[in-house]
Each structure stands twice: as C-alpha cells, then as structure tokens.
C-alpha cells in the first residue's frame, strides 16, 4: 500500500491516477484529484490556537490530508504564520465571524460587520479570494444575504462536550460515510488527536481527505453564494 505522506509524492500519485483515465477535477492547490474514490471533508472551527492548531497542521501534513479551517477573525493576527501555512499546505480557509457571534441573534448590520471584518483580515493576509462562511452554531437569520457559500456539517461528534479522544474518534467512525462533512474544533488537544486517528483509520479504508470546496466539485456541485451546504452532495 502506498503511503500518502510527502506532498510531492502525492502529486506524482495523483498525476499517475489521472493519466490512467477517469475524470479529474481541478483543485485549489493545483494538483488533480481522481474522481470515483471515497472522499470526506474534515472541518475545524474556532481556531486558530497556536498550541493545538500547529500540532494538527503537522499531523495533516505527515498524512497528506487536507482540511477546511473556519477561523475566528480576532485570532488571526496573532497566528498569522499558521493561517498562511494553512493556505500554503492546500487547506481551505474560511470565516467563522470576528468574535464567534451568533448571527441570528443580532441586527443584520452587526452580523454583516462580524463577517466583513474577518473577511478583511483574511484578504489582508492571504490575498483577495472567496472565504466561505460557517456561521457559529450553523445559524443565520432568515433572509440573511451573505455573498459566499455557507457550510454546515453532516457529522458532529460534539467534541467540545466530551473532550475525550476515544469518544470523539468513535463517534465519527460510527457515522462517517463518503461525502460527509465532519465538524471538529482545533482548539482542543483531544479533538486534534481524534482527527489524526480518524485520518489514519479512514485512509486505511481508502478514504481521501479533501477540502469542502474540492468535495463539492468532486460531486459535480457548483457552489452558490448564500447557499448552505451540509455534505459533498449539497
Ligand atoms: Ni464555533
């Protein structure tokens, strides 16, 4: 079995797979991903937090796994190097509001400000782009008009509640299936360890870890601004 550890090596494998036929879709990082495999998207909210996010990035890199990070705006400046590293290593970076504000419990102007301020911080650091939104608690006010795709999840192991690596790992493995979007928080060491255990286990079962954007593309779904996505299928 080929280990997907070194990115350059991974790229070579992907290129070989693409050349041997089958559809492929373009990925943000420039690599191509073979279609017709089992894919899953890990997502991490509420970071970055230096002592846990760094360990997670190291672990994902070792395993050739990509993920999606929905960041708290006010934590970006102090962790700018980690955020830059996320983008460099092919992860998707998104918006989780400036101060973890519940967007359906404030006036529309305040909600828009929470999102726009984080968007500005991300653009200043990573350049212009579309930074997808995960609203805190998965909720936006009815009729809210955000101009990027929004992401919920299909598997929630409630990692913040148990803070137990074994329980979180098992809760995910009990529910995961191809095209799942998994919700975790990279501010807890237990969640970071659980995520890496899940990657090891599912890679051994033939799963590939891709970003949410890649997961949608792999399913032929064109992301639309203002729409909420819960799985790779929509
Ligand atoms: Ni959150």
């Amino acid at each position: 079995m080929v280990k997907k550890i070194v990115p350059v090596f991974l790229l070579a494998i992907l290129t070989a797979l693409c050349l041997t036929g089958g559809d492929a879709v373009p990925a943000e990082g420039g690599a191509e991903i073979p279609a017709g495999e089992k894919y899953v998207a890990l997502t991490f909210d509420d970071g970055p937090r230096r002592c846990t996010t760094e360990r997670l990035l190291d672990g994902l890199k070792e395993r050739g796994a990509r993920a999606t990070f929905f960041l708290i705006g006010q934590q970006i400046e102090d962790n700018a190097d980690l955020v830059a590293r996320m983008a460099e290593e092919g992860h998707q970076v998104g918006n989780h509001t400036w101060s973890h504000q519940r967007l359906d419990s404030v006036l529309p102007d305040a909600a828009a400000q929470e999102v726009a301020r984080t968007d500005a911080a991300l653009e200043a650091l990573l350049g212009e782009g579309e930074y997808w939104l995960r609203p805190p608690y998965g909720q936006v006010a009815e009729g809210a008009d955000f101009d990027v795709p929004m992401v919920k999840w299909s598997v929630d192991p409630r990692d913040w509640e148990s803070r137990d690596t074994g329980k979180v790992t098992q809760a995910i493995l009990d529910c995961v299936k191809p095209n799942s979007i998994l919700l975790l928080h990279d501010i807890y060491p237990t969640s970071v360890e659980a995520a890496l255990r899940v990657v090891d286990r599912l890679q051994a079962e033939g799963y590939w870890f891709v970003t949410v954007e890649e997961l949608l593309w792999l399913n032929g779904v064109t992301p639309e601004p203002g729409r909420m996505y819960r799985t790779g299928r929509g």
Side-chain angles (χ1 to χ4, degrees), residues 45-46 96 100 185:
D45 287 7
D46 297 3
H96 197 48
H100 209 265
H185 300 82

Side-chain angles (χ1 to χ4, degrees), residues 15-16 19 23 25 31 34 37 40 62 92 103 121 127 144 149 153 163 171 182 187 190 202 210 212 221 223:
T15 306
L19 289 173
D23 295 329
V25 295
E37 305 279 330
V40 69
E62 277 168 27
Q92 185 177 351
L103 296 177
W153 52 83
R163 301 200 197 173
L182 314 177
I187 55 173
T190 44
L202 294 183
V210 297
V212 173
V221 177

Side-chain angles (χ1 to χ4, degrees), residues 57-143:
L57 287 171
D58 290 344
L60 293 174
K61 189 176 181 185
E62 277 168 27
R63 292 162 175 80
R66 285 197 291 279
T68 303
F69 292 87
F70 293 101
L71 307 181
I72 301 284
Q74 63 189 2
Q75 292 161 209
I76 290 174
E77 193 179 343
D78 286 347
N79 297 289
D81 55 325
L82 291 181
V83 179
R85 186 180 161 192
M86 288 170 187
E88 274 162 24
E89 294 181 356
H91 303 296
Q92 185 177 351
V93 177
N95 187 330
H96 197 48
T97 76
W98 184 259
S99 63
H100 209 265
Q101 177 62 55
R102 195 176 166 115
L103 296 177
D104 61 348
S105 68
V106 290
L107 292 170
D109 278 358
Q113 185 65 20
E114 279 277 331
V115 174
R117 207 172 161 193
T118 302
D119 209 46
L122 289 172
E123 293 214 337
L125 187 60
L126 302 178
E128 259 183 63
E130 198 177 57
Y131 299 100
W132 294 14
L133 175 65
R134 170 166 284 155
Y137 313 99
Q139 301 295 329
V140 293
E142 214 170 301

Side-chain angles (χ1 to χ4, degrees), residues 142-187:
E142 214 170 301
D145 185 23
F146 295 105
D147 61 357
V148 291
M150 297 186 285
V151 184
K152 265 181 110 156
W153 52 83
S154 55
V155 177
D156 177 6
R158 297 176 73 88
D159 60 332
W160 51 271
E161 194 173 57
S162 72
R163 301 200 197 173
D164 178 309
T165 301
K167 280 185 186 164
V168 173
T169 304
Q170 198 54 50
I172 292 173
L173 294 175
D174 285 348
C175 300
V176 70
K177 53 188 183 183
N179 299 312
S180 291
I181 295 178
L182 314 177
L183 171 64
L184 284 165
H185 300 82
D186 55 318
I187 55 173

